[in-house]
C-alpha cells in the first residue's frame, strides 16, 4: 500500500486497528445521506428503515458469536462494553458478592475498570499467567469464593495473541454459579467463538479490529440459562432495552454488522488459514535469518494473525526507526530485548511478508554490528553481571 | 517522533563503528550507560604518546539519537588532543544534531564516554609509568 506521498508502507499493526473493508464502507454509505433516520423514530419510513438496518446488523453481530440478536447491546466500542460488563455486574450483583477475578494481562479497559471497582471497595483477584501467557485453571478454581460474582478473562490477548481456555473457564463458572465475561475483541473472526458452547455470559467486541468502523462495539448479555443482567451505566432515553441510552449510530452499526458477517466468512472460507500461513512464513523467515529471536507467548495456543518476537541486544526505538515503512507495535523492553508485535490481516500479502523479513533481518544485523551488548554476548560476557554505571 | 536529518544521516551511515583491543596500552575505553536504561555506549580512542587522538571507534546500543551522538563524537575527537577532546560539551552535540529535549541524555552519554575513554587511557599510562621497565628477555 502506498502513502499519500507515494512511498511504500506496509501495515502490520492489525491488533491495534484495521483498515475498513471497502464492502463495509459501501454498506454504510447510504445511511449517512439517504437513510439517515433515527432508528427510534416510530412513525415514519426514515425511522423504520433505520431500525430495520440496525436489527439486521444485530443479527449479523449475534451470529458471529453464536448468540441471539436480542442479547446484543450496541456500545461505542469495546472499552465501553468492558466498562458496562464489569461495573454493571458489580452493581447489579452487589447483594450476592463483591469479588471479581481477572488477569493482569487484560486490556486496560478491564484492568482500570477493575481497579476503579477496587477503589470502591470490591475485591479483585488477579490470576497470574504462566510463561506461555495462559492462566492456570486450578488456580482459577481455588480463587473462587462465596463472594465471587464475576470472572473476566480475555479470549485472545492483544499483545501476544494467546488464546485462553474459554470453554474450560465457562465450565468452572457454571459449576460455581459465577458469571463469566470475556473481552473477545481480538478473537472475533480469528478463532471460532460460541457463547453457548463456551459458557460465556457476557462478551465484549469492537468494530475497528475486524475491518469495521471505529467507535462502535457491543456487549453480549446472556438472556437465558441463566438470564444475566447488568445495571445501567448510561441513563437516558432507554435505548438498547434500557441498557445503553443514546441515539444509535446507525451507519456505524450497519458497518459493524457487515464486518461481523465478513469475519464469520473469514473463518469458513479459508481466509484465516491464509493469514496463519503468512504468519508462519513470517516467523520461519525471521527465525532462519535472525539468531537470538524469541517468540513471546504460546505458539500453539495463539490466534493465527499475531506474532510477537523479541530480539536480543537490539534497542527498540532504533529498530523501529530502521523499519519505518512497516507499521508494527513495539512492546516492553527488558534487559536489552526488544519485542515487536506483528498483526497480520485480511489485506496482508505474501510479498509484504517477504519484504518485512528482508528489512527486519537486515536492520537487526546492522544494529547488532553496532551493539556493544551483542559484542559482549558473543565474547561470552553475561551482561547481567556487568557492573553498569547507568546515568 | 521526527528525527532531524543529521540524526537520520548518522543512523544510516554511522562513522567509525568498531572495536579496538581493550588491552592495548594506547587505547582508552569508555563504557557508559546501562541496558536497563536503554542506552549503552562504548567509545574507544587510540592516543599517541603526545596525547593526540589518532583514531576513534564506537559501538552503541540505543535509539537513533544515541547512535548519532556517539557517531558524531568519534568524528569530532579524531585528530584532537586530549585537552581539546575534553572540551567537547554535550550541548555542542545537542546543537549539531538538533536533538529534542527528551534526547539530551544521549548527548550527555556521549560526553561521558569521551571523558571515560580518556581517563582509562591516562590510568593505563600512569600504571605503565609506575612499573619498572620490563626485564630484557635473554635468549634461551
Ligand atoms: C483486548 C482489547 N479490549 C478492548 C479494546 C478497546 O476497544 P475499543 O477501541 O473498541 O474501545 C482493545 C483495543 O484497543 C483490545 O485490544
Amino acid at each position: 500500500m502506498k502513502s499519500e506521498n507515494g512511498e511504500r508502507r506496509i501495515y502490520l499493526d492489525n491488533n491495534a486497528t484495521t483498515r475498513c473493508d471497502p464492502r463495509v464502507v459501501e454498506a454504510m454509505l447510504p445511511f449517512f445521506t439517504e437513510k439517515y433516520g433515527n432508528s427510534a423514530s416510530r412513525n415514519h419510513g426514515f425511522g423504520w428503515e433505520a431500525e430495520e438496518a440496525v436489527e439486521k446488523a444485530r443479527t449479523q453481530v449475534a451470529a458471529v458469536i453464536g448468540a441471539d440478536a436480542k442479547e446484543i447491546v450496541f456500545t461505542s466500542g469495546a472499552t465501553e462494553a468492558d466498562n458496562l460488563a464489569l461495573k454493571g455486574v458489580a452493581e447489579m450483583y452487589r447483594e450476592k458478592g463483591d469479588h471479581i477475578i481477572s488477569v493482569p494481562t487484560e486490556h486496560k479497559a478491564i484492568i482500570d475498570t477493575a481497579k476503579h471497582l477496587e477503589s470502591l471497595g470490591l475485591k479483585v483477584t488477579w490470576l497470574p499467567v504462566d510463561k506461555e501467557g495462559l492462566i492456570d485453571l486450578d488456580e482459577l478454581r481455588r480463587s473462587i469464593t462465596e463472594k465471587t460474582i464475576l470472572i473476566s478473562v480475555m479470549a485472545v490477548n492483544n499483545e501476544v495473541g494467546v488464546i485462553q481456555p474459554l470453554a474450560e473457564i465457562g465450565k468452572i463458572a457454571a459449576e460455581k454459579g459465577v458469571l463469566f465475561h470475556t473481552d473477545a475483541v481480538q478473537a472475533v473472526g480469528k478463532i471460532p467463538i460460541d457463547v453457548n458452547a463456551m459458557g460465556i455470559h457476557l462478551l465484549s467486541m469492537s468494530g475497528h479490529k475486524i475491518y469495521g468502523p471505529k467507535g462502535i462495539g457491543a456487549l453480549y448479555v446472556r438472556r437465558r440459562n441463566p438470564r444475566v443482567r447488568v445495571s445501567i451505566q448510561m441513563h437516558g432515553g432507554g435505548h438498547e432495552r434500557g441498557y445503553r441510552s443514546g441515539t444509535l449510530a446507525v451507519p456505524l452499526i450497519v458497518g459493524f454488522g457487515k464486518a461481523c458477517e465478513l469475519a464469520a466468512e473469514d473463518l469458513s472460507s479459508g481466509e484465516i488459514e491464509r493469514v496463519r500461513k503468512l504468519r508462519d512464513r513470517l516467523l520461519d523467515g525471521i527465525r532462519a535469518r535472525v539468531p537470538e529471536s524469541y517468540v513471546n507467548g504460546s505458539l500453539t495456543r495463539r490466534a493465527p494473525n499475531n506474532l510477537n518476537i523479541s530480539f536480543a541486544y537490539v534497542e527498540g526505538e532504533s529498530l523501529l526507526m530502521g523499519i519505518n515503512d512497516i507499521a508494527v507495535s513495539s512492546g516492553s523492553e527488558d534487559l536489552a530485548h526488544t519485542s515487536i508485535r506483528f498483526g497480520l490481516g485480511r489485506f496482508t500479502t505474501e510479498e509484504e511478508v517477504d519484504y518485512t523479513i528482508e528489512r527486519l533481518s537486515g536492520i537487526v544485523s546492522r544494529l547488532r554490528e553496532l551493539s556493544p551488548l551483542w559484542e559482549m554476548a558473543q565474547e561470552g560476557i553475561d551482561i547481567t553481571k556487568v557492573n553498569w554505571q547507568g546515568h | 517522533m521526527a528525527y532531524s536529518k543529521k540524526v537520520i544521516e548518522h543512523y544510516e551511515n554511522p562513522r567509525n563503528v568498531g572495536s579496538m583491543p581493550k588491552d592495548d596500552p594506547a587505547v582508552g575505553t569508555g563504557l557508559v550507560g546501562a541496558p536497563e536504561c536503554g542506552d549503552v555506549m562504548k567509545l574507544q580512542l587510540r592516543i599517541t604518546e603526545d596525547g593526540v587522538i589518532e583514531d576513534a571507534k564506537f559501538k552503541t546500543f540505543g535509539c537513533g539519537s544515541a547512535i548519532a551522538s556517539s557517531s558524531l563524537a568519534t568524528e569530532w575527537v579524531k585528530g584532537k588532543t586530549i585537552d581539546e577532546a575534553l572540551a567537547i560539551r554535550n550541548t555542542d552535540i545537542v546543537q549539531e544534531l538538533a536533538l529534542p529535549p527528551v534526547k539530551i541524555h544521549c548527548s550527555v552519554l556521549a560526553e561521558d564516554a569521551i571523558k571515560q575513554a580518556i581517563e582509562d587511557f591516562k590510568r593505563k599510562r600512569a600504571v605503565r609509568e609506575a612499573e619498572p621497565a620490563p626485564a630484557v628477555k635473554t635468549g634461551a
Side-chain angles (χ1 to χ4, degrees), chain A residues 295-313:
Chain A
V295 174
N296 297 306
S298 171
L299 248 188
T300 49
R301 299 192 47 87
R302 191 187 199 96
N305 61 326
N306 170 288
L307 183 61
N308 190 309
I309 301 197
S310 285
F311 300 97
Y313 313 114

Side-chain angles (χ1 to χ4, degrees), chain A residues 36-58:
Chain A
Y36 48 82
N38 186 327
S39 60
S41 295
R42 289 285 141 83
N43 37 27
H44 52 66
F46 291 89
W48 300 332
E49 67 193 8
E51 192 194 9
E52 195 182 299
V54 166
E55 292 319 309
K56 179 181 169 197
R58 203 185 296 282

Side-chain angles (χ1 to χ4, degrees), chain A residues 124-194:
Chain A
V124 181
T125 298
W126 297 102
L127 282 183
V129 294
D130 61 19
K131 63 178 197 318
E132 299 265 87
L134 293 159
I135 64 159
D136 177 348
L137 291 167
D138 292 326
E139 181 92 27
L140 168 64
R141 209 184 282 276
R142 279 195 297 273
S143 305
I144 297 171
T145 70
E146 297 272 274
K147 293 283 180 197
T148 308
I149 48 176
L150 181 69
I151 300 165
S152 181
V153 177
M154 73 201 315
V156 169
N157 182 267
N158 47 304
E159 294 297 337
V160 293
V162 166
I163 305 167
Q164 297 293 354
L166 300 177
E168 289 80 354
I169 298 170
K171 217 167 139 215
I172 294 172
E175 265 169 41
K176 303 273 187 177
V178 175
L179 295 179
F180 172 30
H181 166 254
T182 188
D183 176 334
V185 166
Q186 302 281 352
V188 173
K190 279 47 169 213
I191 59 166
I193 295 282
D194 185 316

Side-chain angles (χ1 to χ4, degrees), chain A residues 15-16 76-80 82 107 109 154 156-158 183 185-186 205-209 215-217:
Chain A
N15 292 109
S76 62
T79 299
E80 188 190 334
D82 286 344
H107 189 269
M154 73 201 315
V156 169
N157 182 267
N158 47 304
D183 176 334
V185 166
Q186 302 281 352
M205 47 203 296
S206 179
H208 72 98
K209 309 277 183 174
I216 188 73

